[in-house]
Amino acid sequence: MTVQIDHALEEIRRFRPSPEFAAQSVADPALYEAARADRLAFWADQARELVQWEKPFTRTLDWTNPPFAKWFDDGELNVAVNCLDRHVEAGLGDRVAIHWEGEPGDSRDITYAQLTDEVKRAANVLESLGIGSGDRVAIYLPMIPEAVVSMLAVARIGAIHSVVFGGFSSDSLASRIDDAEASLVITADGGFRKGRVFPLKPVVDEALAKTEGGTVRNVLVVRRGENEIEWTEGRDLWWHETVTDASNEHVPSAFPAEHPLFILYTSGTTGKPKGILHTSGGYLVQTSFTHKYVFDLHPETDVFWCTADVGWVTGHSYVVYGPLANGATQVLYEGTPDTPHPGRWWEIVEKYKVSILYTAPTAIRSFMKLGRQIPQQFNLRSLRVLGSVGEPINPEAWIWYREVIGGGSIPVVDTWWQTETGAIMISPLPGVMDLTPGSAQAPIPGVEVDILTDEGEPVDGENGGFLVITEPWPAMLRGIWGDPERFKQTYWEKYGEKYFAGDGARRDEDGDIWLLGRVDDVMNVSGHRLSTTEIESSLVAHPWTAEAAVVGASDETTGQAVVAFVILKASQVSHITDPNDASEELRKHVAVQIGAIARPRQVFIVNELPKTRSGKIMRRLLRDLAEGRQVGDTTTLADTSIMEVISAQVR
Ligand code: PRX
């Protein structure tokens, strides 16, 4: 298989950092040299410099049992202490950790001392509920400070969090609770989104009614939306009646570096999401390292804002662990970018003098659509570094971001990584490198990648191929929760000890790496990962559906969009007078089953699907249709005339 290359991307300028920026940059070329000279010694140095160890490590990497890596494994630390107590002990207790902005306009500034106190109280409550080291806690919260507090309180006592994005349905939540056998759920009555309260606790109640394991003993509820909720006596507890009254004395224990820190579910190529497992020491080292050097962090003066929700890995690594380990001041915003007006984000940048902004190309493209007159109403001169993550950023969006948001002179870093990698892997370091719009450019110091052919040979010249990571890295996933076989099969079967990322990539003549999107049945919608198979399973679970095929079609704003082709059951066809009603019903059904993010942009009702002689659906042809292109080669179809029939139905 070859990966398609977009030659339109060729004629691109490079941007040299300004001399002023380069002069104050925390990164310098010596980092690359040190990593090249001795990769493991480099990571050991970073680990000693960036992290506080209760027991120092003597072994950097144990890779004797691949693909199960151990980093710094005889060392001990407490991740929450690294994010909190040590800053307070260093005299930084009065520094603001979080400028929180609620969607309705309420706000709170929380210092490191206050955050530490709150986490200690929450840790005491968790322990009083019988949660201990290794127990799983599901977190289903809006973007409120209690989300950060909950994650850190879980980490502090050595339990394992599984944060579930608040937009996921009760079915999705239930399956994640069951898979991890969680004993506690932390949620809120509701949160604010698009000017309304969206209920969360009712979804938890529904999910718990559906769980099979019956493992959940308690539900801890933050009051936020003040919406009506039901209450199960003996099981449900209010945060403000427990955490607020708890003692703020809490003595932390040290845990081994390889102690599990969290599970985060992400879509794979099958219908069942994978619980990606991350551990403590290596994860903290690489998240704090990348947060410091990729964003050129000066913690005394910078205000960092990563717009991701804590329900995604970006929120774990660059809202919670990276910034707090580095003692940074950051913004946390509850709501959507356009509520109550389309300039909301820029108003927040102005209000808090945000200096580093990290967001997704989808957001940038939707601001481009609205026009530059909106950000131009605000003072954005505090910004000095811009970051992008989650999907390929097209050069036009990169340049608009730099010009309109960044005022034309500040660096934009395109960062490639995954839930599985835990932290940024491929990204320029600003101040050190010339920047190429649209390219993530080069692996960070200490990370080794390559681009291979299907057969495992390095690709020649500018040809595209499959991205692999050739050496273990500190923040790498340690497995899939409860499924070591799937872990081996998904990432390690194709190329042995080289990690198969599932992305296409190519190198240009300057050696810059360009990411070309997924090469498997995973879609990327607005920077969120969705599985075609998972959505197909949801569609066929509807009583009207006989067969379904889902593709990710390119979309100007969201990168890709979900497009489904559905054959209805013969018994249903006569009852449905308007196929639009069926499409609408099925779109809604997916949103209810998985969550609104998975709702197909379009559902086409068709009589046939294109299949090969062996019965495999040819998604490539459906993608051509969904993207309005001439349909490609149909010679391998069992019935070559089928595409004409389907095309006529889709028009
Ligand atoms: O396809 C790549 C894309 O997002 C996938 C990872 O998704 P997820 O685990 O949800 O994590 C997203 C946030 C880290 C990758 O396999 N991706 C992520 N960043 C980029 C990207 N594609 C191109 N350029 C990027 N900078």
Side-chain angles (χ1 to χ4, degrees):
M1 173 182 171
T2 53
V3 176
Q4 235 185 343
I5 297 171
D6 185 351
H7 285 287
L9 300 178
E10 293 297 346
E11 296 154 30
I12 296 297
R13 283 190 292 158
R14 286 166 79 88
F15 293 91
R16 174 137 301 168
S18 71
E20 302 79 51
F21 191 95
Q24 59 81 64
S25 152
V26 293
D28 75 66
L31 286 170
Y32 290 99
E33 286 154 29
R36 251 193 313 267
D38 188 340
R39 203 178 76 90
L40 294 184
F42 167 80
W43 280 121
D45 287 347
Q46 297 306 327
R48 289 189 193 100
E49 190 183 312
L50 296 166
V51 167
Q52 174 177 306
W53 297 90
E54 303 309 323
K55 176 172 171 259
F57 61 89
T58 63
R59 290 193 294 264
T60 302
L61 170 67
D62 178 353
W63 188 235
T64 52
N65 181 29
F68 299 94
K70 290 183 187 164
W71 282 87
F72 317 117
D73 75 313
D74 59 344
E76 289 182 3
L77 75 164
N78 184 295
V79 171
V81 167
N82 270 277
C83 293
L84 301 165
D85 311 45
R86 69 161 162 159
H87 303 314
V88 178
E89 282 155 22
L92 304 175
D94 291 338
R95 180 181 289 173
V96 172
I98 296 175
H99 291 296
W100 176 71
E101 182 81 11
E103 196 187 72
D106 49 339
S107 62
R108 279 161 69 188
D109 283 348
I110 303 165
T111 64
Y112 271 94
Q114 291 166 333
L115 192 64
T116 306
D117 248 35
E118 186 78 355
V119 168
K120 288 179 178 174
R121 287 181 216 278
N124 281 324
V125 171
L126 298 187
E127 284 180 339
S128 74
L129 296 175
I131 307 294
S133 168
D135 291 340
R136 274 79 60 206
V137 176
I139 298 178
Y140 188 66
L141 280 171
M143 284 290 280
I144 54 177
E146 287 79 1
V148 179
V149 172
S150 300
M151 290 163 76
L152 291 171
V154 168
R156 187 177 186 93
I157 63 172
I160 305 170
H161 57 70
S162 161
V163 183
V164 180
F165 173 59
F168 275 121
S169 66
S170 61
D171 282 341
S172 300
L173 177 61
S175 70
R176 285 158 173 76
I177 289 172
D178 270 337
D179 188 71
E181 299 176 284
S183 30
L184 172 70
V185 181
I186 307 181
T187 189
D189 47 2
F192 288 88
R193 222 182 134 70
K194 293 191 193 292
R196 284 195 301 271
V197 171
F198 68 97
L200 288 168
K201 169 69 162 56
V203 183
V204 172
D205 291 338
E206 256 177 62
L208 291 180
K210 289 174 188 164
T211 51
E212 286 160 12
T215 52
V216 172
R217 295 191 302 266
N218 292 103
V219 179
L220 185 55
V221 189
V222 179
R223 191 161 65 194
R224 167 66 187 151
E226 309 213 355
N227 45 316
E228 280 259 325
I229 56 170
E230 285 178 13
W231 203 253
T232 303
E233 281 309 326
R235 185 195 72 182
D236 300 347
L237 302 154
W238 280 114
W239 181 283
H240 62 269
E241 288 175 0
T242 51
V243 176
T244 315
D245 295 340
S247 157
N248 64 354
E249 301 279 320
H250 183 271
V251 180
S253 307
F255 297 96
E258 284 298 338
H259 189 76
L261 180 62
F262 66 85
I263 305 168
L264 183 58
Y265 288 85
T266 188
S267 295
T269 51
T270 72
K272 188 174 179 282
K274 310 176 272 200
I276 303 299
L277 175 68
H278 282 285
T279 60
S280 306
Y283 173 79
L284 198 65
V285 170
Q286 196 178 333
T287 50
S288 55
F289 173 80
T290 48
H291 181 254
K292 177 174 173 180
Y293 291 106
V294 171
F295 300 113
D296 186 49
L297 181 78
H298 295 259
E300 315 76 33
T301 47
D302 273 320
V303 178
F304 178 77
W305 183 18
C306 166
T307 64
D309 192 282
V310 290
W312 309 110
V313 76
T314 309
H316 284 58
S317 302
Y318 301 103
V319 174
V320 182
Y321 294 106
L324 295 175
N326 288 334
T329 295
Q330 67 174 319
V331 168
L332 190 74
Y333 172 54
E334 180 185 32
T336 51
D338 51 359
T339 309
H341 59 80
R344 188 64 196 278
W345 273 19
W346 316 121
E347 179 182 70
I348 293 173
V349 169
E350 178 179 293
K351 176 173 176 184
Y352 294 108
K353 299 192 170 52
V354 171
S355 57
I356 307 170
L357 178 68
Y358 190 31
T359 192
T362 290
I364 300 163
R365 287 191 293 262
S366 37
F367 292 126
M368 277 173 82
K369 257 197 190 161
L370 293 173
R372 60 177 67 205
Q373 69 283 0
I374 293 170
Q376 279 172 351
Q377 289 160 27
F378 299 90
N379 179 353
L380 308 180
R381 280 192 294 277
S382 53
L383 288 169
R384 52 176 217 92
V385 179
L386 299 173
S388 171
V389 61
E391 32 170 342
I393 180 165
N394 45 317
E396 299 72 27
W398 193 105
I399 288 172
W400 189 92
Y401 195 26
R402 177 177 160 103
E403 299 288 325
V404 178
I405 305 305
S409 62
I410 68 173
V412 175
V413 285
D414 174 19
T415 64
W416 177 91
W417 58 294
Q418 308 178 300
T419 304
E420 291 87 342
T421 70
I424 294 169
M425 300 293 280
I426 306 180
S427 166
L429 297 187
V432 173
M433 287 157 76
D434 292 355
L435 301 172
T436 307
S439 164
Q441 297 191 249
I444 59 158
V447 165
E448 300 286 336
V449 306
D450 207 347
I451 301 171
L452 302 182
T453 64
D454 207 14
E455 294 73 38
E457 298 299 322
V459 296
D460 292 335
E462 291 183 50
N463 291 328
F466 299 100
L467 180 71
V468 293
I469 305 168
T470 55
E471 298 291 337
W473 64 102
M476 70 194 287
L477 76 166
R478 300 302 198 263
I480 293 177
W481 184 257
D483 202 345
E485 275 317 304
R486 190 175 177 192
F487 172 56
K488 290 185 197 160
Q489 209 185 355
T490 310
Y491 308 104
W492 307 96
E493 204 154 73
K494 190 166 171 67
Y495 295 124
E497 286 182 26
K498 292 174 185 164
Y499 170 88
F500 172 64
D503 276 49
R506 71 171 177 107
R507 268 199 199 88
D508 68 15
E509 59 202 353
D510 300 319
D512 278 340
I513 295 173
W514 294 74
L515 279 311
L516 303 173
R518 301 290 305 190
V519 294
D520 53 11
D521 289 335
V522 170
M523 292 170 287
N524 193 324
V525 178
S526 306
H528 300 315
R529 240 157 101 167
L530 295 170
S531 142
T532 50
T533 326
E534 196 180 352
I535 300 176
E536 284 168 3
S537 316
S538 165
L539 286 165
V540 294
H542 192 283
W544 295 356
T545 308
E547 264 190 271
V550 165
V551 296
S554 57
D555 183 282
E556 234 180 62
T557 308
T558 59
Q560 284 189 309
V562 180
V563 177
F565 296 82
V566 172
I567 305 178
L568 297 178
K569 282 186 187 150
S571 57
Q572 297 298 332
V573 174
S574 56
H575 304 302
I576 300 165
T577 45
D578 184 351
N580 287 333
D581 293 346
S583 303
E584 205 35 47
E585 162 69 18
L586 292 169
R587 290 178 67 236
K588 252 192 253 154
H589 166 79
V590 174
V592 169
Q593 271 220 324
I594 303 177
I597 45 163
R599 187 200 313 265
R601 183 183 73 187
Q602 289 154 304
V603 174
F604 293 114
I605 306 296
V606 294
N607 291 338
E608 305 279 354
L609 289 171
K611 288 187 187 155
T612 59
R613 275 166 218 106
S614 60
K616 193 170 172 303
I617 294 175
M618 291 194 67
R619 289 204 179 78
R620 172 172 63 76
L621 300 176
L622 293 174
R623 207 172 297 125
D624 288 343
L625 268 190
E627 294 177 353
R629 258 198 315 271
Q630 178 79 23
V631 172
D633 181 8
T634 56
T635 49
T636 51
L637 285 180
D639 173 355
T640 49
S641 66
I642 213 78
M643 283 316 288
E644 282 160 38
V645 178
I646 303 175
S647 307
Q649 288 183 312
V650 162
R651 295 252 148 72

